[in-house]
Amino acid sequence: MSYARRQALVVRGGRAGESPVRTTNLFLPFLRRQGFDVLVEDCLEVYEDKKLLAETDLVVQCWQGGDITPRESAGLRTAVQNGTGLAGWYTGLMNAFPEDLDYQLLVGGTFRIDPSETGRHRVRLAAGRADHPVLTGLTDFDADVVRYWPLTDPMIDVLATIGFDGDDSRPGVQAVPAVWTRTWGRGRVFASVLGAQPGDFDIPQVRALTERGLLWAGR
């Protein structure tokens, strides 16, 4: 008996040199092992291809900065609305198009303040969400991350947070979203602040979260 394979579209590029290529390359074999045929594109015009997006079960985006046209943005949003999954990490998803508010709402959040605090920080999994497919069997862990203050949609499902220590103006530790999911129409979106560099995925928990997020988002 044969089963129809699913289609994954990897959209990568932007202003960050080889980083989008190197990070997405880490997941191409995984997607193929999970039954996806993988198409890789290095231009955003692909979001205007309605037929291709309708046949795509998962879009993995790693686009480092730049602009997206209204037609491209609308094409991506419509595809997710109709059931195509969207997944990505770090600025390749969360801050790809900072001037496009509709895109930011689709993703569920965007980076707005960079406190320039790179270091090893605790990633805490959301209490009561241990049964979520992205989190099953995982526990809190430490990771070298760049901490950002994100603006997020209250309707996202936060799966993990990173804490900011208090100071004179903000007493106590403040937890901000680090990994979340959301639904958009019939589609699913997975977003993670982890993965600034390819080496970040050497941490088993970061790799597991990301791989599970890709599968969760896929139709």
Side-chain angles (χ1 to χ4, degrees), residues 97-117:
F97 315 116
E99 303 304 318
D100 189 331
L101 296 179
D102 290 329
Y103 169 81
Q104 293 169 19
L105 184 59
L106 168 66
V107 171
T110 183
F111 295 148
R112 272 297 178 253
I113 301 174
D114 175 8
S116 299
E117 295 182 3

Side-chain angles (χ1 to χ4, degrees), residues 3-171:
Y3 296 91
R5 292 176 64 84
R6 292 185 289 172
Q7 178 68 51
L9 171 64
V10 177
V11 181
R12 63 192 189 185
R15 298 194 298 255
E18 290 299 310
S19 184
V21 174
R22 291 167 59 203
T23 53
T24 53
N25 278 348
L26 295 174
F27 295 96
L28 301 187
F30 169 78
L31 289 171
R32 294 184 177 111
R33 289 196 303 270
Q34 295 300 318
F36 286 92
D37 291 323
V38 180
L39 173 64
V40 178
E41 293 286 349
D42 61 0
C43 64
L44 297 174
E45 287 87 347
V46 70
Y47 289 153
E48 296 186 40
D49 190 330
K50 296 180 180 179
K51 181 176 184 298
L52 173 62
L53 290 182
E55 296 171 350
T56 296
D57 299 291
L58 173 66
V59 173
V60 180
Q61 180 184 284
C62 190
W63 195 273
Q64 298 285 351
D67 298 315
I68 189 170
T69 70
R71 287 173 57 89
E72 293 162 353
S73 179
L76 176 61
R77 297 195 314 273
T78 299
V80 178
Q81 176 81 23
N82 292 335
T84 299
L86 174 64
W89 51 85
Y90 196 58
T91 55
L93 182 74
M94 296 181 181
N95 205 38
F97 315 116
E99 303 304 318
D100 189 331
L101 296 179
D102 290 329
Y103 169 81
Q104 293 169 19
L105 184 59
L106 168 66
V107 171
T110 183
F111 295 148
R112 272 297 178 253
I113 301 174
D114 175 8
S116 299
E117 295 182 3
T118 303
R120 199 156 189 83
H121 303 294
R122 193 72 169 169
V123 179
R124 300 187 183 279
L125 307 189
R129 301 313 313 277
D131 60 343
H132 192 285
V134 175
L135 300 183
T136 301
L138 299 179
T139 58
D140 297 351
F141 60 94
D142 294 323
D144 291 320
V145 295
V146 179
R147 296 192 299 185
Y148 285 84
W149 282 103
L151 297 180
T152 55
D153 185 340
M155 296 184 69
I156 63 174
D157 185 6
V158 178
L159 300 184
T161 61
I162 296 175
F164 283 77
D165 295 334
D167 53 30
D168 292 340
S169 60
R170 295 176 295 106

Side-chain angles (χ1 to χ4, degrees), residues 166-190:
D167 53 30
D168 292 340
S169 60
R170 295 176 295 106
V173 175
Q174 307 297 317
V176 299
V179 179
W180 67 78
T181 60
R182 76 164 309 151
T183 56
W184 184 268
R186 296 196 299 272
R188 293 177 168 186
V189 178
F190 168 81

